[in-house]
């Protein structure tokens, strides 16, 4: 925090120091605008850095390490049972978080962004009042709302700090390794955290109200992950809802209805991961001209300008995909729009990654979306069992899919399930964003042997046959 002379007037006020907020503040400062960032947390970084992307990925790296050592026996190497020092794990994870958060604070200072601690609420279209701050309020010319989102509670279930029923923040705190863990929700947070606890030794039961995991992702990509998790978790109940959760002395008593109907079963801990709600309800937006969508997200245009011309909104609070990279991209657009630059948020592809084992990643159009829209596409597949690199990594269950326009060959979407899908999807996003043709991917020389070849080989089937895969007859590729 910048001590001493604190500003009471600023050109650009960014509310929220998460990835969206700090990216917006940095871009605004880089463009020469006098910028102030107000954050309610004592540390910068928001949900992503403090209680989301970064701590979860730190724990998932450990889960990956544990699973790989267990799987190494297939490759002729045997490790002994690992000993988990929970305090050591927590300290390492926190060290990563603290280092990155301090880095964001240093970047604020070096860019001349004023960081003010406090909780902001609007008092009209040109001022916020602050609570828990050295300042009573700040006047602004432009404001960017970047207040993010919070876990959505399960109706009728109150979460107690330190209680056995946890949200993602509680699960990331890793208070212990529960013998029996119930995960409510088969979205990416439930799957990632369930994988972490399963790798650490918990017996995990997952309850999913949909008929499959990750309902918004491509079913074909999710299938290998579901198979793997069905082996790792004690049980996955599909089409099932939790109808009661009650914390008692011996644990949390839970009852499910639906396919996996169980009236009373006891767990040591429960993770509720049923989605997130946006933080727009406590900003006193009524004092401004900002309007919200029916789901509570702030309504914005392509520049991320709200219905109040002096106020912008970005990141989770502006709705759409609740992802950090989307928040950062929007933050830059809003700052540029305020600086008078011709900027718009109009991505063709926002990649999404689920950091499980195997990882699932996709961008652009999915097969389900194409089908729902009645849009013809060619689906070009490369199963990893024919990839030399996948086999050397013991990762043959992967699959790479490229969706292309059947006439022009333009790449419309890419999906990957398998090791390192998180990195592979970036090339897919570039292809979709640049309007590349399948033949562009196919003719680009990819290094051998790498998993990246699965993209170029999948794309090769647009005009012929991939070098290492003959199974697709021309008709098979049409969907
Ligand atoms: P946030 O990061 O939510 O930051 C908002 C900030 O605003 C907070 O620091 C909050 O304290 C502050 N704030 C709120 N109200 C006020 C106020 N009135 N005054 C002052 N400050 C205020 N996304 C990915 O892309 N990749 C991942 O791997 C990933 N993993 C995740 C794992 C978990 C467990 C969770 C929960 C989320 C994950 N996400 C991931 C989602 C990601 O964290 C969010 O999309 C991202 O943090 C949104 O950024 P944001 O800047 O919009 O808001």
């Amino acid at each position: 925090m910048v001590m001493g002379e604190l500003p009471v007037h600023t050109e650009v006020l960014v509310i929220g120091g998460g990835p969206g907020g700090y990216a917006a503040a940095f871009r605004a400062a880089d463009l020469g605008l006098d910028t102030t960032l107000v954050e309610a947390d004592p540390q910068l970084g928001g949900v992503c850095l403090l209680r989301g992307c970064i701590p979860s990925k730190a724990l998932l790296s450990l889960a990956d390490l544990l699973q790989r050592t267990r799987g190494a026996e297939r490759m002729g190497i045997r490790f002994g049972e690992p000993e988990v020092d929970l305090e050591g794990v927590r300290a390492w994870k926190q060290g990563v978080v603290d280092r990155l958060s301090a880095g964001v604070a240093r970047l604020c200072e070096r860019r001349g962004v004023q960081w003010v601690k406090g909780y902001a609420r609007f008092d009209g279209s040109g001022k916020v009042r602050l609570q828990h701050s050295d300042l009573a309020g700040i006047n602004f010319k432009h404001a960017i709302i970047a207040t993010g989102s919070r876990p959505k509670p399960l109706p009728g279930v109150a979460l107690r700090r330190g209680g056995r029923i946890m949200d993602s923040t509680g699960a990331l705190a890793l208070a212990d390794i529960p013998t029996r863990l119930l995960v409510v929700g088969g979205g990416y947070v439930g799957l990632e955290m369930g994988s972490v606890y399963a790798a650490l030794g918990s017996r995990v039961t997952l309850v999913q109200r949909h008929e499959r995991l990750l309902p918004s992702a491509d079913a074909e990509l999710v299938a290998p992950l579901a198979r793997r998790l069905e082996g790792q978790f004690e049980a996955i109940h599909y089409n099932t809802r939790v109808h009661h959760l009650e914390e008692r002395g011996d644990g949390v008593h839970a009852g499910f209805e639906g396919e996996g109907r169980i009236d009373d079963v006891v767990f040591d801990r429960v993770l509720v991961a049923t989605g997130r709600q946006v933080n727009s309800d406590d900003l006193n937006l009524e004092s401004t001209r900002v309007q919200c969508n029916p789901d509570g997200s702030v309504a914005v245009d392509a520049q991320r300008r709200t219905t109040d011309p002096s106020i912008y909104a970005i990141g989770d609070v502006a709705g759409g995909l609740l992802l950090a990279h989307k928040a950062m991209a929007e933050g830059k657009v809003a700052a540029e729009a305020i600086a008078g630059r011709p900027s718009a948020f109009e991505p063709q592809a926002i990649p999404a990654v689920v950091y499980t084992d195997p990882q699932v990643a996709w961008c652009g159009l999915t097969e389900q979306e194409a089908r729902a829209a009645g849009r013809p596409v060619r689906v070009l597949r490369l199963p990893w069992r024919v990839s030399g690199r996948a086999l050397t990594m013991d990762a043959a269950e992967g699959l790479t899919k490229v969706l292309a326009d059947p006439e022009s060959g333009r790449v419309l979407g890419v999906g990957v399930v398998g090791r390192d899908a998180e990195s592979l999807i970036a090339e897919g996003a570039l292809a979709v964003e640049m309007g590349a043709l399948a033949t562009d991917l196919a003719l680009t020389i990819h290094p051998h042997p790498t998993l990246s070849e699965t993209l170029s080989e999948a794309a090769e089937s647009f005009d012929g046959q991939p070098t290492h895969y003959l199974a697709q007859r021309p008709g098979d590729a049409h969907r």
Side-chain angles (χ1 to χ4, degrees):
M1 177 170 165
V2 179
M3 300 303 284
E5 232 176 84
L6 287 166
V8 289
H9 180 89
T10 187
E11 215 171 349
V12 181
L13 174 69
V14 181
I15 306 171
Y22 71 68
F26 292 175
R27 186 74 182 125
D30 292 349
L31 291 171
L33 299 167
D34 160 53
T35 307
T36 302
L37 177 62
V38 58
E39 168 55 58
D41 259 338
Q43 280 184 293
L44 289 176
V47 168
C48 177
L49 209 162
L50 305 175
R51 4 174 226 285
C53 326
I54 298 299
S56 63
K57 267 78 252 181
L59 295 180
L60 280 154
S61 296
L62 296 183
D64 190 46
L65 189 64
L66 289 168
Q67 298 294 15
R68 283 211 212 177
T69 56
R70 283 170 192 145
E73 203 163 342
R74 282 193 301 276
M75 299 155 88
I77 307 282
R78 252 193 316 276
F79 289 90
E81 247 327 282
E83 263 178 51
V84 179
D85 162 19
L86 265 192
E87 213 167 290
V89 169
R90 284 192 291 261
W92 173 71
K93 168 183 65 100
Q94 198 54 42
V96 174
V97 168
D98 291 346
R99 180 175 172 177
L100 288 170
S101 178
V104 175
R106 254 194 320 277
L107 287 171
C108 268
E109 202 178 321
R110 290 182 58 191
R111 284 179 148 105
V113 172
Q114 301 267 30
W115 167 22
V116 175
K117 288 180 189 168
Y119 188 90
R121 282 194 189 85
F122 285 94
D123 184 11
S125 298
K127 185 177 178 187
V128 291
R129 289 190 184 281
L130 297 181
Q131 268 185 319
H132 314 297
S133 178
D134 293 345
L135 288 180
I138 302 174
N139 297 316
F140 60 81
K141 191 167 169 204
H142 302 278
I144 301 177
I145 306 172
T147 49
S149 64
R150 59 185 186 273
K152 194 186 271 178
L154 207 55
V157 177
L159 263 60
R160 248 181 344 102
R161 189 181 273 271
R164 290 172 186 265
I165 306 177
M166 320 173 282
D167 58 18
S168 53
T169 308
L172 287 166
L174 208 68
D176 54 19
I177 302 173
T179 308
R180 294 152 307 171
L181 173 72
L182 170 65
V183 176
V184 185
Y188 80 89
V189 173
L191 300 189
E192 290 185 358
M193 292 314 298
S195 300
V196 167
Y197 278 94
L200 290 171
S202 294
R203 280 158 39 204
V204 176
T205 295
L206 187 138
V207 173
Q208 162 70 325
R209 70 189 167 100
H210 295 280
E211 62 185 6
R212 64 181 181 89
L213 304 175
L214 299 171
S216 58
D218 182 308
E220 195 179 9
L221 300 179
V222 176
L225 170 63
R227 272 196 301 277
R228 178 75 65 88
L229 293 180
E230 279 157 12
Q232 273 171 17
F233 290 1
E234 187 158 84
I236 300 182
H237 299 296
Y238 298 98
N239 290 316
T240 301
R241 282 171 188 272
V242 169
H243 65 70
H244 80 264
L245 280 183
E246 191 191 337
E247 209 169 325
R248 294 193 209 154
D250 60 341
V252 183
H253 287 244
F256 319 140
E257 62 190 1
E259 271 175 25
R261 186 185 169 93
I262 298 178
D263 287 325
D264 191 48
V265 55
V266 185
F267 293 93
D268 300 295
R269 284 186 178 273
V270 177
L271 163 61
V272 177
T274 48
R276 302 192 56 88
Q277 66 190 55
V278 302
N279 292 329
S280 63
D281 47 348
D282 191 33
L283 294 171
N284 195 27
L285 291 176
E286 303 73 26
S287 69
T288 69
R289 285 190 275 159
V290 173
Q291 286 172 7
C292 291
N293 297 310
D295 66 356
S297 61
V298 175
V300 289
D301 66 11
Q303 281 67 43
R304 307 290 98 169
R305 195 182 288 109
T306 69
T307 40
D308 190 317
S310 59
I311 302 175
Y312 292 67
I314 58 158
D316 284 7
V317 76
L321 290 177
L322 307 190
L323 293 170
H325 39 282
K326 175 256 191 192
M328 287 190 260
E330 288 179 307
K332 290 175 196 161
V333 167
E336 285 167 7
I338 290 171
R341 296 218 169 181
S343 194
F345 185 73
E346 291 166 340
Q348 297 298 307
I350 301 177
V353 181
V354 184
Y355 294 76
T356 39
D357 177 24
Q359 296 186 340
V360 183
W362 66 97
C363 69
L365 192 70
T366 65
E367 227 183 315
Q368 279 96 316
E369 286 166 355
R371 212 175 294 131
R375 177 167 190 173
V377 286
R378 269 189 72 180
V379 184
L380 315 167
R381 294 182 176 79
L382 202 285
W384 287 20
R385 62 174 186 275
V386 303
S387 154
R389 186 61 180 125
L391 264 62
T392 64
M393 292 172 140
D394 191 31
E397 79 284 9
L399 172 72
T400 297
K401 280 173 81 166
V402 175
L403 268 67
D405 182 273
E407 299 300 321
S408 65
R410 187 175 166 160
V411 178
L412 303 171
V414 174
V416 182
V417 54
R419 176 87 53 84
D420 204 29
E422 66 178 85
S423 304
L424 297 173
I425 200 61
E427 184 180 351
L430 184 69
V432 176
E433 203 60 62
M434 300 286 290
L437 305 180
T439 37
D440 292 325
L441 277 181
L443 293 176
T444 301
I445 298 176
H446 286 67
H448 177 78
T450 59
L451 296 173
S452 71
E453 287 171 293
T454 65
L455 268 164
S456 58
E457 290 223 30
E460 269 185 72
S461 56
F462 188 80
D463 275 334
Q465 295 282 3
T467 309
H468 298 99
Y469 184 48
L470 248 188
Q472 275 179 337
R473 293 178 303 269
D476 293 344
H478 282 280
R479 280 287 158 99

